């Protein structure tokens, strides 16, 4: 995880002027445009752009969860086809394109490892973005994108012992018990680290605060 | 706290703990826990917002990954399949045959997706009808249960974690009178013994996930369990 920390990024942004929102969000507004192009006119070029940015990350995610490289290639293709199929259901006011892809790739593995990981069967029913939502205003999307930026800077600044627990759970799909066993820590310590990490991120995580 | 307007349900007061939601979002929760959490989240605005926030953490971790190069031709292979992959504009409405006695329970979508069919309901003990949901859970059970108003679950311990989500009516803890109403989730671990009853006067419909066998601690409980096993 080598996202560069951004020293100029405020820890808990509460107010955004339009220009700074625009500037910070630039890296993400392009992918929101791609999503809209895929959803509204089946734009293959936009899809190819999205594929180039995210398919390798999706593959890395699948491999971190135990898929062999060949299987991960095939599964990544399936994940990207789901993106094509469900682009119209993506809700930018709820979260980033990356968050949507995260949940799709997480679920993709459950559908293929049944039997091997019986314990986790059935989690495939977790649908991150289950209902079609009204399209967000560009203001909302920009705000979400900006918050995502701030979030990734904060994540990079977490103490390593907190970040590695989040990565164990999120990236490799470990339970907190498994995180604890692997690091020979008491479960309570792992839970505390998760809580501390989330407290630091909390102000940035709420894409839709109580409005 | 001001009381809600008449006819409006209170939001749930018993939630999934934060570390539970983290495991749920990370895809690390067991199948039964994931179903219970999904049901709670679909009835709890606060936890739904928390899940969305936690998913954004997942997205950020995905973005931070340097990635793994795909084999040559992966993009072309996917592009070639786009034409035969229709795009969805809305999710098709779920049409699940819900038995008549569950009409009006307003079961959440994750539960409806797991509900096998209108068939399969059986009375396990007087006052308790259940339908098994299709999960492989050796030694445990994932069930939708309908308790008659006032029905009791005698004092028992748990062989594995227990997750209950209430959809209609309410369950009460005998020891401290805690009430679990619509959307509330009750989590009990092995060693946590309790006795519950459905609030008298109205039936209670709830998802009950037991990841290990129940261990009745009273003679009546043992008898009921023996009957229920047949």
């Amino acid at each position: 995880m080598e996202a560069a920390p951004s020293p100029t990024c405020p820890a808990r942004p509460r107010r955004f002027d339009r220009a700074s929102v625009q500037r910070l969000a630039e890296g993400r507004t392009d992918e929101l445009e791609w999503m809209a192009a895929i959803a509204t006119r089946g734009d293959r070029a936009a899809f190819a752009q999205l594929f180039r940015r995210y398919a390798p990350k999706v593959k890395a995610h699948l491999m971190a969860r135990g898929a062999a490289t060949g299987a991960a290639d095939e599964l990544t293709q399936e994940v990207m086809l789901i993106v094509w199929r469900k682009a119209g259901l993506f809700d930018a006011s709820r979260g980033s394109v990356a968050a949507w892809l995260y949940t799709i790739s997480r679920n993709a593995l459950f559908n293929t490892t049944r039997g091997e990981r019986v314990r986790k069967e059935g989690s495939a029913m977790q649908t991150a973005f289950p209902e079609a939502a009204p399209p967000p205003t560009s203001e909302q999307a920009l705000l979400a994108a900006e918050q995502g930026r701030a979030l990734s800077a904060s994540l990079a600044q977490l103490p390593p012992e907190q970040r590695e627990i989040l990565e164990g759970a999120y990236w490799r799909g470990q339970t907190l018990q498994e995180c604890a066993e692997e690091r020979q820590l008491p479960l309570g310590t792992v839970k505390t680290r998760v809580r501390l990490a989330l407290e630091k991120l909390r102000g940035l995580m709420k894409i839709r605060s109580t409005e | 706290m001001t009381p809600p307007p008449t006819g409006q349900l209170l939001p749930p007061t018993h939630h999934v703990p934060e570390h539970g939601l983290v495991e749920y979002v990370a895809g690390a929760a067991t199948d039964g826990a994931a179903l219970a959490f999904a049901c709670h989240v679909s009835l709890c605005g606060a936890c739904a917002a928390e899940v969305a926030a936690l998913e954004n953490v997942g997205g950020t971790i995905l973005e931070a990954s340097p990635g793994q190069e795909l084999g040559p031709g992966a993009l072309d292979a996917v592009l070639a399949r786009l034409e035969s992959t229709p795009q969805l504009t809305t999710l098709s409405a779920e049409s699940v045959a819900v038995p008549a006695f569950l009409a009006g329970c307003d079961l959440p979508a994750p539960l409806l997706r797991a509900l096998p069919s209108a068939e399969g309901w059986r009375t396990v003990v007087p006052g308790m009808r259940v339908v098994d949901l299709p999960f492989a859970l050796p030694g445990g059970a994932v069930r939708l249960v309908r308790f008659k108003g006032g029905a009791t679950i005698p004092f028992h311990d748990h062989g594995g974690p227990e997750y209950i989500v209430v959809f209609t009516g309410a369950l009460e803890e005998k020891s401290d009178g805690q009430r679990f109403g619509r959307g509330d989730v009750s989590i009990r671990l092995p060693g946590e013994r309790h006795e519950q009853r459905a609030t008298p006067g109205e039936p209670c419909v709830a998802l009950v996930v037991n990841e290990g066998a129940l261990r009745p601690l009273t003679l009546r409980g043992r008898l009921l369990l023996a009957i229920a096993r047949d």
Side-chain angles (χ1 to χ4, degrees), chain B residues 155-179:
Chain B
F155 196 53
H156 64 275
D157 198 348
H158 311 88
E162 173 185 82
Y163 307 91
I164 297 179
V165 184
V166 174
F167 302 125
T168 57
L171 285 179
E172 292 166 5
E173 287 290 332
K174 180 81 179 276
S175 61
D176 56 9
Q178 272 198 87
R179 182 182 180 280

Side-chain angles (χ1 to χ4, degrees), chain B residues 55-228:
Chain B
E55 284 169 357
N56 278 292
V57 173
T60 303
I61 289 173
L62 182 77
E63 276 183 306
S65 164
Q68 281 280 341
E69 208 58 43
L70 278 92
L75 174 58
D76 289 338
V78 173
L79 287 174
R81 292 171 65 188
L82 292 186
E83 267 179 37
S84 57
T85 307
Q87 293 184 285
L88 299 177
T89 47
T90 53
L91 283 185
S92 54
E94 325 225 0
S95 57
V96 178
V98 175
F101 66 91
L102 288 180
C105 285
D106 200 7
L107 297 172
L111 197 278
L112 289 175
R113 280 196 288 272
L115 205 57
S117 72
E119 311 298 316
W121 281 85
R122 57 201 170 87
T123 301
V124 285
V125 294
M128 223 178 113
R129 296 181 79 183
V130 307
V131 64
D132 290 294
L133 304 181
F135 286 79
L137 203 57
V142 180
R143 291 164 164 177
L144 188 62
V145 182
R146 184 180 186 275
F147 301 95
K148 217 170 122 182
T152 61
I153 309 158
F155 196 53
H156 64 275
D157 198 348
H158 311 88
E162 173 185 82
Y163 307 91
I164 297 179
V165 184
V166 174
F167 302 125
T168 57
L171 285 179
E172 292 166 5
E173 287 290 332
K174 180 81 179 276
S175 61
D176 56 9
Q178 272 198 87
R179 182 182 180 280
F180 293 81
R182 180 168 171 83
D184 281 330
V185 60
S186 157
I187 302 175
R188 293 283 167 163
L189 301 175
E192 296 181 346
R193 304 164 164 202
H194 65 157
E195 179 174 359
Q196 298 150 291
R197 72 164 184 177
T199 301
E202 54 177 339
C204 172
V205 174
L207 168 69
V208 180
V209 175
N210 286 108
E211 295 191 335
L214 287 189
R215 295 180 182 149
L217 299 168
T218 61
L219 178 60
R220 185 169 157 259
R222 279 195 285 273
L223 285 171
L224 286 177
L225 194 67
I227 298 168

